[in-house]
Amino acid sequence: MTRNPDLGALIGSRICHDLISPLGAIGNGVELLSMSAPQSPEMTLVLQSVENANARIRFFRIAYGAPAPQQRLGRSDIVTALAAAVGGGRLSLFWQAEGDQPRDEVRIAFLLLQCLESALPHGGEIEIGRRGAGWVVTAASERLRVEHELWDALTTPETLPQLAAAQVQFALLPIALEQAGRSLEIDRAADRVTARF
């Protein structure tokens, strides 16, 4: 164990780990009930809610959990977790990296996705892809809302303002970048934010 463990990531991993089993059991129970009785709107709603909760937990486990050294994630696991992040809203998401990827780098991409999502309250598109050994993540929308203090703190963490719970990704992203030995470059325009790491 290192002297300074990433307590936030370890807590995230523990919470996700402890929630996966009961959510899976609830999902199995609802499926069994639906096989023995006619499918009602109420049962459909419960089943969809459990599926959404399971998918969100998978996303949070990657974004907020502690990656093991040299751990890799398969494309199907990544895409499934990302589908939960979008959740059928006004946001279109395109994962353009083929094959397995290092989990610590996927974690950075997921945290960055949540930062970009906060700049797209009216919807838009986010593309995540590899460029050689690096990554490029781009968000585009006709109506961006960029909170400059938060975005400035991604490259100069010591300037991080007081955060709300919904903004925790802005505090965690610089930590994840440092742990992975990566640095972040951000280009902002009126209708687009491009981040490279």
Side-chain angles (χ1 to χ4, degrees):
M1 186 168 175
T2 62
R3 273 190 227 166
N4 297 310
D6 185 347
L7 291 179
L10 292 173
I11 291 168
S13 291
R14 177 61 190 261
I15 290 170
C16 291
H17 177 270
D18 288 357
L19 288 176
I20 287 277
S21 291
L23 281 173
I26 293 168
N28 291 338
V30 171
E31 283 185 29
L32 289 172
L33 284 172
S34 67
M35 292 186 331
S36 63
Q39 190 81 354
S40 67
E42 294 83 2
M43 190 64 72
T44 301
L45 179 62
V46 172
L47 187 56
Q48 288 174 346
S49 296
V50 171
E51 288 172 355
N52 288 339
N54 271 318
R56 293 296 287 180
I57 289 291
R58 284 193 293 273
F59 178 88
F60 291 145
R61 195 174 201 177
I62 295 169
Y64 296 104
Q70 309 301 317
Q71 185 179 3
R72 297 183 73 82
L73 293 173
R75 180 181 169 81
S76 63
D77 292 332
I78 295 168
V79 171
T80 300
L82 287 174
V86 176
R90 294 175 288 189
L91 190 63
S92 298
L93 183 59
F94 304 96
W95 179 264
Q96 299 177 334
E98 295 298 327
D100 295 354
Q101 301 296 334
R103 181 173 170 186
D104 58 348
E105 295 177 15
V106 176
R107 179 186 185 207
I108 294 168
F110 277 25
L111 289 169
L112 191 50
L113 164 64
Q114 288 200 304
C115 294
L116 291 166
E117 189 179 17
S118 73
L120 302 169
H122 305 288
E125 293 184 353
I126 297 178
E127 294 182 6
I128 304 171
R130 295 217 62 142
R131 300 294 183 271
W135 293 80
V136 177
V137 183
T138 303
S141 175
E142 293 180 3
R143 298 172 67 186
L144 282 178
R145 187 186 74 199
V146 175
E147 296 181 56
H148 297 287
E149 304 83 14
L150 293 174
W151 285 90
D152 291 344
L154 291 178
T155 51
T156 52
E158 62 275 7
T159 65
L160 186 69
Q162 188 70 33
L163 297 176
Q167 300 166 327
V168 68
Q169 61 272 16
F170 285 93
L172 294 175
L173 181 55
I175 296 168
L177 286 160
E178 182 179 1
Q179 289 172 342
R182 298 278 183 150
S183 59
L184 185 67
E185 296 176 10
I186 301 171
D187 295 320
R188 290 178 277 191
D191 63 346
R192 174 176 313 266
V193 176
T194 302
R196 298 175 180 84
F197 66 91

